[in-house]
């Protein structure tokens, strides 16, 4: 071996060692970054449990807020409000969302289909506070008062793109043979869609609903100037009063949705901004309840997807 | 054989069925109407914000957007200049993107290329759980934990940097306030919040790259990292860019967490270490307590600006993703 060849060999060895070192370093860096991203997750969950758990007791879930300065009291009003808002949002978002998804799944390439896909994308990107502004102008200003109705509507616009998208995806996964079978047996298209395609895609669609609800439940910004917040909201009292006054079911529901209403994230925000220690303590409790609620819905939805995938594969 | 008779019944039900093609015409009208409704919602948002801010646009004009940090936002005197808020939104989102992109790309590479099969699902879930935690919870945690533990020390450190030559810029003029509320805090919280968005999309982009690319790179003798860095990332570049833009959109519109950690004071400084507002946090704090009609309108104009920015970003991201879809060969899309 000449001197020259030796030099080349040494050089080559050095370079390959450097390449191997860079390789190992960068690959472990990606793993490290992944670990790093999990730090805030566990930090947040752990700290919220640490601060929130001592606050939780039966009263926390069953009582209304006490005036500032008094100990105890609960956030029943916010829990009730969250449920009312979620139900309203689902009522407003799910029927139009699912129907629009039927349209999108059937006509992906018509001008309206393209426009629909585009507007779902835009809606998904619109900041949630802008939706609050929109509903404020659309509902709150003409009605001249804040209401649960407006809050539900704002949340429904937030849910709409998620619902349309997941439903569309799931409908597209339904095998063509199923549809063709139904059409071949003489069923009209609407019947094929509603009683064959929809049930076949139902599992996936439900997970879409769950994810949308989880997202809407955690939102505060669109509620700030639509639902406003209301510490004295009390469904029990409204219903009892309504029954005693022999009001119709319709007017009782009207009274529930027609007044300002609170929700867990909204309460958390209001409480955290107040300079009273017991309110701040309670806001940690609210954070814990909210987080458990949202994460449970989210995990349930994901488990459902996984189970379905397994079932399809095996 | 029995006589199969097809009677030509002409009851009103039959006629209705024929007329509506057994219900298909009303059905297509219904689903078409719902598709149009979705479209109308988007247009209505733009229209509502545009018309409701007409007075503000007429009275304030372009002065509203004049890029000066020495701006006035004074409801008592009805003077409105929005630049500090626009600046706040842009600078916090920029911090978030600059920090989040390398981290998210690292995670995406790990999840798509390196992760052992058993860890993949739980890790994916955990990263996505970061996106599921409500933003008020981020805010609360931010105020009481993140600010004192992370932001204040980092801010202190950065404020000392301005002593060094080359760091004379105004970006790190300190000192940071005692409780740590600052634009930096908002930027750091946003970093955590956009990581799942960028990670999820770029992971999907990486997973969609055909295996032939990987095999070719490895066959030519590259190391795994060289394959990722020199082949996969350039290949998926536009998709990753789309992911970054969607993350940016999320950062721009994020309201609650930012409002809670940003301090919400209006000082005529561009420093990261000082308190400030973003467009969204101003809306969250002042909209309900608007003093004059013009005050409300000025804020709606701000909302319209926010809407327009996110709309344009979305268009751009869509365009990039469309480009990828057009270029990617059939093999990859299967």
């Amino acid at each position: 071996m000449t001197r020259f060849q030796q030099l080349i060999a040494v050089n080559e060895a050095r370079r390959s060692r450097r390449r191997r070192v860079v390789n190992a370093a960068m690959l472990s860096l990606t793993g490290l970054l992944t670990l790093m991203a999990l730090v805030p997750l566990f930090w947040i969950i752990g700290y919220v449990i640490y601060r929130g758990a001592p606050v939780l007791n039966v009263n926390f879930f069953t009582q209304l807020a006490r005036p500032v300065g008094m100990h105890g009291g609960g956030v029943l009003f916010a829990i009730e409000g969250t449920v009312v808002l979620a139900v309203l949002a689902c009522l407003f978002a799910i029927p139009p969302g699912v129907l629009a998804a039927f349209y999108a799944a059937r006509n992906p390439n018509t001008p309206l289909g393209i426009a629909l896909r585009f507007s779902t994308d835009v809606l998904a990107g619109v900041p949630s506070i802008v939706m609050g502004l929109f509903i404020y102008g659309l509902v709150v200003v003409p009605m001249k008062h804040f209401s649960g109705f407006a809050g539900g509507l704002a949340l429904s616009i937030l849910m709409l793109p998620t619902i349309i998208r997941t439903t569309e995806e799931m409908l597209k996964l339904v095998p063509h043979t199923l549809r063709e079978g139904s059409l071949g047996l003489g069923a009209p298209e609407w019947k094929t869609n509603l009683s064959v395609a929809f049930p076949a895609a139902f599992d996936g669609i439900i997970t879409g609903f769950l994810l949308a609800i989880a997202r809407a439940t955690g939102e505060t910004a669109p509620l700030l100037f639509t639902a406003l917040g209301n510490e004295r909201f009390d469904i029990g009292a409204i219903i009892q009063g309504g029954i005693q006054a022999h009001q119709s079911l319709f007017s009782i529901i009207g009274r529930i949705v027609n007044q300002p209403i609170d929700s867990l994230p909204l309460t958390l925000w209001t409480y955290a901004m107040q300079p009273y220690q017991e309110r701040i303590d309670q806001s940690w409790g609210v954070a814990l309840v909210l987080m458990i609620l949202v994460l449970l819905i989210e995990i349930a939805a994901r488990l459902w997807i996984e189970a379905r995938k397994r079932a399809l594969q095996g | 054989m029995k006589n199969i008779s097809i009677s030509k019944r002409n009851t009103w039900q039959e006629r209705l069925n024929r007329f509506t093609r057994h219900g298909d015409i009303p059905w297509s009208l219904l689903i078409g109407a719902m598709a149009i409704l979705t479209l109308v919602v988007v247009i209505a948002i733009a229209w509502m914000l545009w018309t409701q801010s007409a007075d503000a646009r007429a009275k304030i004009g372009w002065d509203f957007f004049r890029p000066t940090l020495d701006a006035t936002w004074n409801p008592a005197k009805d003077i409105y200049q929005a630049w500090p808020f626009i600046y706040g939104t842009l600078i916090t989102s920029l911090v978030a993107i600059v920090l989040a992109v390398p981290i998210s790309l690292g995670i995406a590479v790990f999840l798509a290329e390196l992760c052992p099969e058993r860890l993949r699902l739980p890790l994916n879930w955990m990263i996505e759980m970061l996106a599921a935690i409500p933003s008020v919870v981020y805010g609360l945690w931010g105020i009481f934990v993140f600010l004192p533990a992370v932001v204040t020390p980092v801010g202190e450190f950065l404020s000392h940097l301005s002593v060094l030559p080359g760091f004379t810029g105004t970006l790190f003029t300190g000192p940071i306030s005692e409780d740590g509320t600052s634009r930096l805090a908002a930027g750091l919280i946003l970093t955590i919040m956009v990581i799942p968005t960028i990670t999820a999309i770029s992971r999907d982009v990486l997973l969609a790259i055909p295996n032939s690319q990987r095999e070719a790179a490895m066959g030519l003798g590259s190391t795994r990292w060289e394959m990722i860095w020199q082949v996969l990332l350039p290949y998926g570049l536009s998709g990753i860019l789309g992911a970054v833009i969607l993350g940016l959109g999320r950062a721009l519109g994020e309201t609650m967490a930012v409002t809670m950690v940003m301090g919400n004071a209006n000082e005529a400084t561009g420093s990261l270490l000082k308190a400030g507002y973003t467009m969204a946090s101003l809306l969250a704090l002042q909209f309900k307590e608007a003093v004059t009609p013009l005050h409300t309108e000025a804020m709606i104009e701000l909302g319209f600006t926010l809407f327009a920015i996110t709309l344009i970003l979305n268009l751009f991201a869509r365009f990039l993703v469309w480009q990828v879809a057009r270029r990617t060969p059939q093999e990859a899309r299967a």
Side-chain angles (χ1 to χ4, degrees):
Chain A
M1 207 184 264
T2 63
R3 174 97 180 106
F4 184 61
Q5 277 170 328
Q6 271 178 356
L7 264 179
I8 287 186
V10 168
N11 222 345
E12 193 68 12
R14 253 190 224 145
R15 249 185 63 197
S16 92
R17 196 179 330 125
R18 210 191 58 210
R19 285 173 60 202
R20 261 180 293 143
V21 168
V22 168
N23 183 42
M26 295 312 282
L27 294 190
S28 18
L29 183 67
T30 61
L32 210 67
L33 286 174
T34 310
L35 281 184
M36 213 174 93
L38 297 182
V39 169
L41 180 71
F42 290 109
W43 197 355
I44 293 176
I45 293 179
Y47 197 80
V48 167
I49 292 174
Y50 164 69
R51 289 291 300 265
V55 187
L56 299 190
N57 51 35
V58 179
N59 288 348
F60 191 79
F61 294 101
T62 55
Q63 290 191 357
L64 297 183
R66 294 260 179 88
V68 169
M70 285 174 70
H71 277 287
V75 292
L76 180 65
F77 64 98
I79 296 171
E80 289 172 349
T82 304
V83 174
V84 170
L85 283 173
V87 170
L88 282 175
C90 288
L91 280 180
F92 296 139
I94 289 180
V98 169
L99 290 172
F102 274 120
Y103 186 90
R106 194 182 71 168
N107 315 306
N109 292 321
T110 58
L112 182 56
I114 294 170
L116 175 63
R117 193 165 345 123
F118 176 67
S119 48
T120 357
D121 278 350
V122 171
L123 268 188
V126 171
S128 54
I129 192 150
V130 172
M131 292 178 187
L133 277 185
F134 169 59
I135 296 298
Y136 176 84
L138 188 77
V139 178
V140 177
V141 172
M143 277 171 76
K144 297 199 175 62
H145 62 87
F146 300 98
S147 63
F149 171 72
L153 210 56
L155 290 184
S156 76
I157 298 180
L158 198 84
M159 289 168 68
L160 198 58
T162 322
I163 289 178
I164 294 181
R165 241 190 237 158
T166 45
T167 310
E168 184 196 343
E169 294 296 317
M170 293 304 149
L171 285 175
K172 279 181 177 166
L173 288 181
V174 174
H176 276 288
T177 45
L178 268 182
R179 275 172 195 284
E180 284 157 10
S182 164
L183 290 171
L185 286 172
E189 204 189 316
W190 64 272
K191 214 164 196 172
T192 304
N193 272 332
L194 285 184
S195 54
V196 176
F198 188 70
F202 190 66
D203 277 3
I205 292 174
I206 279 287
T207 55
F209 291 172
L210 285 178
L211 291 178
I213 293 170
R215 193 181 156 203
T217 310
E219 272 291 348
T220 323
L223 298 179
L224 287 174
F225 19 87
T226 53
L228 190 69
N230 177 4
E231 280 187 12
R232 283 184 296 279
F233 184 78
D234 185 356
I235 286 190
I238 295 174
I239 294 175
Q240 268 180 8
I243 290 171
Q244 274 163 12
H246 299 290
Q247 285 172 331
S248 67
L249 182 67
F250 192 70
S251 67
I252 294 178
I253 293 175
R255 281 180 55 201
I256 292 175
V257 301
N258 229 336
Q259 54 178 314
I261 198 170
D262 229 314
S263 82
L264 287 167
L266 207 54
T267 310
L268 165 47
W269 152 256
T270 337
Y271 277 18
M273 291 289 118
Q274 289 177 359
Y276 310 105
Q277 191 54 46
E278 67 265 21
R279 280 283 158 106
I280 290 176
D281 287 342
Q282 282 199 326
S283 74
W284 283 105
V286 176
L288 180 57
V289 174
L290 181 63
M291 207 177 65
I292 291 176
L293 190 70
V294 171
L295 292 186
L296 274 187
I297 300 178
E298 186 92 14
I299 291 173
R302 282 170 198 285
L303 282 178
W304 202 320
I305 298 178
E306 284 309 311
R308 192 176 148 71
K309 266 191 206 159
R310 295 259 160 76
L312 282 179
Q313 282 163 0
Chain B
M1 191 171 144
K2 238 182 173 185
N3 195 12
I4 301 171
S5 67
I6 300 171
S7 70
K8 284 213 163 177
R9 280 172 301 173
N10 220 2
T11 59
W12 66 271
Q13 284 166 327
E14 284 295 309
R15 256 180 287 159
L16 185 73
N17 267 345
R18 253 199 313 279
F19 183 65
T20 62
R21 273 200 247 144
H22 300 272
D24 271 356
I25 289 179
W27 168 254
S28 5
L29 287 180
L30 183 65
I31 60 177
M34 290 307 151
I36 291 172
L37 180 72
T38 313
L39 201 64
V40 166
V41 169
V42 176
I43 297 169
I45 292 176
W47 180 80
M48 176 74 74
L49 297 174
W50 180 255
T51 51
Q52 303 253 329
S53 60
D55 269 1
R57 270 178 287 121
K59 282 186 191 152
I60 307 170
W62 286 109
D63 207 33
F64 192 72
F65 296 111
R66 193 148 55 86
T68 159
L69 283 171
D70 196 16
T72 329
W73 182 271
N74 190 339
K77 290 186 190 154
D78 256 354
I79 303 173
Y80 304 102
Q81 288 176 301
W83 182 252
F85 317 125
I86 300 174
Y87 174 80
T89 298
L90 294 181
I91 198 77
T92 48
S93 306
L94 198 70
V95 169
I97 287 299
V98 166
L99 293 176
V101 166
I103 300 177
S104 314
L105 278 185
I107 301 170
V109 163
F110 184 76
L111 290 177
E113 303 293 326
L114 307 168
C115 184
E117 198 56 45
R118 235 177 331 143
L119 282 178
R120 184 165 289 170
L121 197 65
L123 281 179
N124 272 331
W125 279 29
M126 284 183 211
I127 298 289
E128 281 169 35
M129 286 298 137
L130 268 182
I133 293 177
S135 85
V136 268
V137 176
Y138 270 107
L140 189 66
W141 173 77
I143 299 175
F144 292 101
V145 183
F146 192 60
L147 287 183
V150 176
V151 179
T152 315
V154 170
E156 294 268 337
F157 172 72
L158 287 177
S159 67
H160 293 312
L161 278 188
S162 56
V163 183
L164 296 174
F167 264 99
T168 47
T170 52
L171 216 48
F172 299 120
T173 354
I176 193 164
S177 66
E178 205 138 283
D179 53 2
T181 51
S182 60
R183 292 182 178 126
L184 178 71
L188 292 178
I189 284 262
L190 283 177
T191 309
I192 306 174
M193 298 179 79
V194 299
I195 281 177
T197 313
I198 304 180
T199 305
I201 305 174
S202 9
R203 181 199 62 209
D204 292 345
V205 168
L206 289 177
L207 286 174
I209 295 177
N211 260 337
S212 54
Q213 297 283 330
R214 297 188 181 85
E215 286 154 9
M218 298 298 264
L220 287 172
S222 64
T223 61
R224 244 171 144 181
W225 172 249
E226 284 163 347
M227 168 193 87
I228 291 163
W229 185 247
Q230 295 170 5
V231 177
L232 298 188
L233 290 183
Y235 193 95
L237 189 64
S238 20
I240 291 170
L241 216 58
V244 172
I245 291 173
L246 287 179
L248 182 62
R250 181 153 188 227
L252 289 173
E254 179 49 52
T255 312
M256 305 318 291
V258 169
T259 311
M260 289 165 96
V261 300
M262 201 145 161
N264 307 309
N266 211 351
E267 295 172 48
T269 159
S271 171
L272 271 178
L273 305 182
K274 295 293 180 191
Y277 280 102
T278 66
M279 294 193 256
S281 75
L282 183 86
L283 287 174
L285 289 167
Q286 286 196 1
F287 191 79
K288 248 180 345 198
E289 283 89 27
V291 185
T292 64
L294 193 63
H295 192 191
T296 307
E297 293 223 341
M299 280 189 276
I300 293 181
E301 189 177 351
L302 210 55
F304 183 80
T305 317
L306 197 54
F307 176 75
I309 295 176
T310 47
L311 182 70
I312 293 167
L313 278 178
N314 255 296
L315 278 175
F316 190 51
R318 196 99 284 273
F319 174 74
L320 285 174
V321 171
W322 173 73
Q323 284 251 314
V324 179
R326 207 182 47 162
R327 205 193 50 195
T328 313
Q330 284 299 322
E331 171 200 12
R333 273 191 268 171

